Amino acid sequence: MSFKTMQTETLSYYQQLDVQKQLIWTQPRHQMAALVSLDVQLASLAQATGLETGVVANPSLQPKSQQLGQVVRCLRSFFLFANLMNWNQVCQTEADELEKLQQLDIDDQSKKATLYLMLKRMLLTSYYKKRQAAFQHAWMLFLKWALVDCGFTVDQLEAEFKQQLQALQEQI
């Protein structure tokens, strides 16, 4: 499975959900809702991975399996937001790009926090200024966080994605 396939399946799920709930979205309301959802998911991932260490005495660092689940929820939100902004191709990262990312060093906690804040800044810039390049930068920062700093593999993301999507589709 590739990011393109995961993106297609994610979008299909959201379309089915909208049909079932008889939701008719208008722009920019749908884009804004997707961005808020992505922001909430990213904040949950930051908390799950202990980014608030140093601010909170006992960060709620979650087990790796729960962190993986949160990464995949972020991934799905990225796919939806990209689609609504007509930037699908940005999320179709090729193997050579992933290989380059995976060769980067793991950041320390303060650099991870900086990465997180930069990612959020790039997302807001992409939305408010309609800049695809800013979204692409946010996407790459997210992948670096997931694949390098969290230490997950693409295979792990795909397996978790399949499980989550199956569970979601059973609820429709």
Side-chain angles (χ1 to χ4, degrees), residues 5 24 45 55 59 68 85 147 154 156:
T5 304
I24 298 174
L45 179 59
V55 177
L68 177 60
M85 299 299 288
L147 299 173
V154 174
Q156 288 174 304

Side-chain angles (χ1 to χ4, degrees), residues 35-103:
L35 180 59
V36 169
S37 177
L38 175 54
D39 185 52
V40 168
Q41 295 302 332
L42 288 168
S44 294
L45 179 59
Q47 185 177 32
T49 58
L51 281 189
E52 75 276 11
T53 301
V55 177
V56 177
N58 297 309
S60 57
L61 185 64
Q62 295 178 357
K64 279 297 215 185
S65 62
Q66 290 178 355
Q67 290 178 25
L68 177 60
Q70 192 57 45
V71 166
V72 171
R73 283 187 284 283
C74 290
L75 190 70
R76 291 194 336 260
S77 293
F78 259 104
F79 291 152
L80 178 60
F81 183 67
N83 182 67
L84 295 172
M85 299 299 288
N86 295 314
W87 297 333
N88 285 334
Q89 71 282 1
V90 170
C91 296
Q92 297 168 11
T93 309
E94 298 295 326
D96 60 328
E97 292 174 299
L98 292 173
E99 196 173 300
K100 287 179 189 175
L101 269 178
Q102 291 171 320
Q103 292 174 5

Side-chain angles (χ1 to χ4, degrees), residues 3 25 33 46 64 74 92 104 138 155 166:
F3 282 114
W25 291 96
K64 279 297 215 185
C74 290
Q92 297 168 11
L104 296 173
D155 290 342
Q166 182 179 357

